[in-house]
C-alpha cells in the first residue's frame, strides 16, 4: 500500500522509507543511495529530506510524482 503515497507526497511514511531512514540517519558516511522502483523513490525522498548531506541518488524505474508550480 506504499504506491499511493507517492503522488500524495507522504512517501516518508512508507514501509521502505521507514526501513532505510534510520540506517541513513545513523551512518554519516553514506553519500550515495541507489534504488530500483519503490527503492528509487525512497532514495529520492532521502535526498530531499537531507539536503545538508549532499548525497547522490541513482534510481532505476523509480515512480515519481511532482506537483505543478503555477508560477
Amino acid at each position: 500500500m506504499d504506491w499511493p503515497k507517492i503522488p500524495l507526497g507522504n512517501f516518508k511514511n512508507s514501509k521502505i522509507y521507514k526501513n532505510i531512514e534510520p540506517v541513513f540517519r545513523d551512518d554519516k558516511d553514506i553519500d550515495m543511495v541507489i534504488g530500483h522502483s519503490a527503492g528509487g523513490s525512497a532514495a529520492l525522498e532521502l535526498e530531499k529530506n537531507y539536503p545538508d548531506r549532499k548525497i547522490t541518488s541513482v534510481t532505476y524505474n523509480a515512480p515519481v510524482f511532482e506537483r505543478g508550480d503555477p508560477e
Side-chain angles (χ1 to χ4, degrees), residues 14-61:
S14 70
K15 182 179 179 180
I16 194 166
Y17 185 83
K18 287 180 179 181
N19 285 338
I20 193 60
E21 199 266 342
V23 174
F24 182 79
R25 183 187 59 232
D26 294 341
D27 187 347
K28 304 293 184 205
D29 292 329
I30 298 173
D31 62 356
M32 178 178 276
V33 288
I34 301 171
H36 173 265
S37 193
S41 291
L44 293 170
E45 190 73 20
L46 283 171
E47 185 177 20
K48 181 178 84 173
N49 293 337
Y50 290 88
D52 57 318
R53 295 276 294 266
K54 299 187 189 311
I55 64 168
T56 300
S57 62
V58 178
T59 65
Y60 300 95
N61 295 326

